[in-house]
Amino acid sequence: MLTIDDKALAMIQEKNQPLSIDPVREFSGCCISVTESPGVHFGLPKIDADKYAAHSLQGVTVYIPNCFPADGDYVIKLRSFLGFRQLFIDGWKLC
């Protein structure tokens, strides 16, 4: 399940734009496989729009890639550092 944290939701409503989640990328080595946390950005999907589905989460349109895992509890949160604000997915497991 994917939800949006209150602070992130306030920023998203301020921008008044849809969100897109980047496709899930997996890196494999000889003995381990790591799945990088996908990025979150404002706007429509940058590539392969047909590989996304539009969902409404808490009143926000979010384009989620079809390969996004259905199991797990993920939260879109806001982090800020030196005045820069960034959305990210919390709860992501690398392996």
Side-chain angles (χ1 to χ4, degrees):
M1 170 186 251
L2 182 64
T3 58
I4 304 173
D5 162 275
D6 290 339
K7 289 181 183 178
L9 185 59
M11 178 190 170
I12 295 164
Q13 289 173 335
E14 177 185 307
K15 296 258 188 189
N16 196 27
Q17 294 181 23
L19 290 181
S20 291
I21 297 176
D22 293 334
V24 177
R25 296 187 330 172
E26 185 174 330
F27 303 95
S28 298
C30 63
C31 54
I32 190 168
S33 179
V34 176
T35 307
E36 181 181 53
S37 178
V40 180
H41 59 87
F42 288 98
L44 299 173
K46 295 178 182 176
I47 56 170
D48 298 329
D50 59 324
K51 295 182 180 176
Y52 285 79
H55 296 271
S56 181
L57 300 177
Q58 296 162 250
V60 176
T61 301
V62 181
Y63 291 90
I64 302 173
N66 297 332
C67 61
F68 195 85
D71 58 338
D73 292 321
Y74 305 107
V75 181
I76 297 174
K77 290 189 173 184
L78 175 67
R79 83 173 125 222
S80 60
F81 182 71
L82 298 174
F84 294 100
R85 300 184 302 174
Q86 178 185 25
L87 297 172
F88 70 99
I89 295 179
D90 188 43
W92 192 264
K93 307 267 188 285
L94 293 177
C95 297

